[in-house]
Amino acid sequence: VSLKSLKLNFDNCGNLTNQGLMNLSGYGIQNLKALETLILSFANCGSIGDEGLNYLCLHGLAALDSLRKLDLNFDGCEKINEAFQNLNILGVLFVDHLTRLNLSFNKCINIGDNEIKALSIDCLRNLGLLTFLSLSFDSCVNITDGGLESLGSEGIGNLVSLTTLNLRFSHC
C-alpha cells in the first residue's frame, strides 16, 4: 500500500479498548510502510490504557520507516501511565527523519514528572531533525517544576533544528 497520509479519529468511543488499538496497530498501521504522516486521536476513550499505547509504539509505529509527521491525541485516557515511557521508542526509531511531533495527553491524571523526564531524555533529545514540536498536558496535576526542568534541559534544549514550539501545561 502506498498511502502517504492517514488520519483516524476515534474520539469519545467509550467501547474502544486496548484490544481495538492493538488490532489497528498490528493489522493495519504496521503494514503502511510508505506512510509519512499519521494522525491518531483517541480522546476520551476511557478504556484505552498502557497495554494499547505500548502495542501502538512497539508494533504499529515501529514499522513506519518513512514517517515524518506524527500526531497522537490521548486526551482524557486516564488509564495511561507507565506505558507513556514507551514513547521513547520514537527517539530511537525516527531519529533520522521525524520532523513534526504533536503529542496531546490532556487530563491524563497519572502522567507526572517521571513520564515527562522519560519523554525528554529517551525521546526528544534524540530527535535532532524536529522542526515542529507541540506538547499538551493540560490538567495533568502530577507534573511539577521537576518535570518542566527535565523537559527544558534534557529534551527541548537539544532540539537544534526546532523552529516552532507549542507547550500547554495549564491547570497542572
Side-chain angles (χ1 to χ4, degrees):
V1 178
S2 62
L3 189 66
K4 299 281 186 197
S5 181
L6 177 63
K7 179 178 182 178
L8 299 172
N9 185 318
F10 295 99
D11 292 355
N12 301 304
C13 291
N15 293 324
L16 186 62
T17 66
N18 286 326
Q19 187 60 51
L21 183 52
M22 290 164 63
N23 289 338
L24 176 67
S25 301
Y27 297 119
I29 292 174
Q30 74 176 8
N31 296 316
L32 302 174
K33 305 292 186 195
L35 200 63
E36 295 177 3
T37 300
L38 178 60
I39 302 169
L40 296 176
S41 186
F42 296 95
N44 301 311
C45 293
S47 295
I48 290 180
D50 287 344
E51 186 180 9
L53 183 56
N54 270 336
Y55 201 89
L56 173 66
C57 290
L58 300 174
H59 298 283
L61 298 178
L64 302 180
D65 297 332
S66 299
L67 197 63
R68 303 282 182 270
K69 299 176 183 176
L70 177 63
D71 289 18
L72 297 177
N73 181 344
F74 285 92
D75 292 351
C77 294
E78 295 178 352
K79 292 183 179 180
I80 290 177
N81 171 335
E82 295 171 6
F84 186 82
Q85 295 185 21
N86 279 331
L87 287 174
N88 68 0
I89 197 168
L90 302 178
V92 175
L93 295 174
F94 305 125
V95 66
D96 294 330
H97 51 276
L98 195 66
T99 59
R100 177 188 168 93
L101 180 60
N102 181 9
L103 300 176
S104 186
F105 287 87
N106 297 323
K107 299 180 183 176
C108 292
I109 58 174
N110 293 314
I111 292 176
D113 290 345
N114 290 336
E115 289 75 24
I116 298 299
K117 186 173 185 173
L119 176 68
S120 301
I121 293 172
D122 298 330
C123 177
L124 294 179
R125 77 172 174 189
N126 295 320
L127 296 174
L129 296 180
L130 274 186
T131 58
F132 177 94
L133 175 62
S134 180
L135 302 174
S136 188
F137 294 96
D138 290 352
S139 299
C140 293
V141 295
N142 292 312
I143 297 173
T144 68
D145 293 346
L148 295 181
E149 180 182 349
S150 293
L151 181 62
S153 65
E154 301 176 71
I156 294 169
N158 295 302
L159 300 176
V160 296
S161 300
L162 200 62
T163 58
T164 303
L165 176 63
N166 298 318
L167 299 175
R168 290 185 49 128
F169 288 89
S170 61
H171 304 290
C172 288

